[in-house]
Amino acid sequence: MAGQSDPHISLFSAEEVEFMAEDELIEIVPNMRMDPLNFICGDFGPFLPQIASQVPLWLAVALKKRGKCAIRPPQWMSVENLTRVLEGERESQGAFQVLPFHYVEISRLLFDHAREDIPDMYMVRSLIEDIRDVRIHKVETSLEKFSGTSAVKIPNLSAMEVNIIRPFVGRALQAFYKHDNPEKIPDVDRASSAQTRAANNEPRRQLRR
């Protein structure tokens, strides 16, 4: 993934974050009988009609697309719980309510592929969007108070929120450290230019014919 393979690019794409969220476990209710499925990530099943079973989200979506199961939304996606979370987010400007790390991606996948399995789907989606907007505003407010330190700690952030602030915080910390310790930070542009000149000055190898 781009965010892991290249240290200079710390921002994951939305698709990459969603891909990681698909490993989260969720409950399904099969409507068929099936032997256990064996994957590198684990064994799931056997599956029996109307007997709930936990599977990774990606497998739940795949079975749902084939009409093999219904998906049970997680308890945190109830209207009552989301209403309580939204109220807590609005009342507490300095703290974030506890939600699953991938709450944005999980809810989006369920809205896309299992909306008929979600009670009060439109209300649930509206509450999650409101929660996300309030939390993003709080993240922006927290970053306005950001000062040069060796670490940044904002508890209970989600994957999407961490992904948004990671590039800014990384560059800010590097700038603060470079300001305080200029002799310890190599000039990346100068080093890259020197490497390019050295490569251009090397003798060319003859191509095989």
Side-chain angles (χ1 to χ4, degrees):
M1 293 184 185
Q4 293 177 332
S5 61
D6 188 346
H8 300 294
I9 302 175
S10 59
L11 184 65
F12 289 99
S13 68
E15 291 77 13
E16 288 172 323
V17 178
E18 185 173 287
F19 177 81
M20 291 183 280
E22 290 177 350
D23 285 332
E24 297 291 324
L25 294 178
I26 198 164
E27 200 168 77
I28 64 169
V29 180
N31 55 24
M32 77 321 185
R33 187 182 300 270
M34 184 185 296
D35 292 332
L37 299 175
N38 308 113
F39 302 104
I40 294 176
C41 60
D43 301 329
F44 303 96
F47 301 100
L48 300 172
Q50 304 308 312
I51 303 298
S53 180
Q54 279 200 331
V55 299
L57 184 53
W58 63 265
L59 179 56
V61 170
L63 293 173
K64 177 68 178 179
K65 287 181 177 179
R66 290 165 175 76
K68 302 294 186 182
C69 74
I71 298 178
R72 282 186 178 173
Q75 292 183 354
W76 61 265
M77 283 186 67
S78 68
V79 171
E80 294 77 9
N81 181 68
L82 292 173
T83 300
R84 187 166 53 250
V85 169
L86 180 58
E87 292 174 353
E89 294 289 359
R90 286 172 171 168
E91 291 172 359
S92 178
Q93 295 300 316
F96 293 82
Q97 301 297 302
V98 177
L99 281 169
F101 187 57
H102 288 289
Y103 83 93
V104 173
E105 294 75 32
I106 293 172
S107 60
R108 182 186 298 126
L109 285 166
L110 294 183
F111 293 148
D112 288 346
H113 303 289
R115 61 175 56 197
E116 65 275 11
D117 295 334
I118 304 173
D120 302 312
M121 194 276 295
Y122 292 105
M123 177 63 73
V124 169
R125 183 164 61 182
S126 177
L127 285 167
I128 289 178
E129 289 175 353
D130 289 344
I131 290 170
R132 184 181 58 187
D133 292 342
V134 171
R135 287 169 67 98
I136 289 297
H137 176 72
K138 290 165 70 172
V139 167
E140 294 172 348
T141 302
S142 298
L143 292 180
E144 289 176 358
K145 303 175 183 178
F146 178 73
S147 60
T149 60
S150 58
V152 178
K153 185 176 182 180
I154 308 178
N156 299 328
L157 289 183
S158 71
M160 179 269 294
E161 293 150 1
V162 170
N163 200 44
I164 289 174
I165 70 171
R166 180 189 288 119
F168 169 80
V169 173
R171 289 192 298 268
L173 286 175
Q174 185 179 27
F176 281 124
Y177 185 76
K178 186 173 182 179
H179 181 269
D180 294 337
N181 305 274
E183 71 283 353
K184 295 184 180 180
I185 304 296
D187 190 327
V188 177
D189 294 335
R190 185 178 301 172
S192 176
S193 177
Q195 292 175 355
T196 302
R197 288 198 303 273
N200 291 336
N201 292 332
E202 289 181 355
R204 300 289 183 180
R205 294 179 57 184
Q206 295 295 325
L207 297 177
R208 292 185 180 182
R209 299 185 181 278

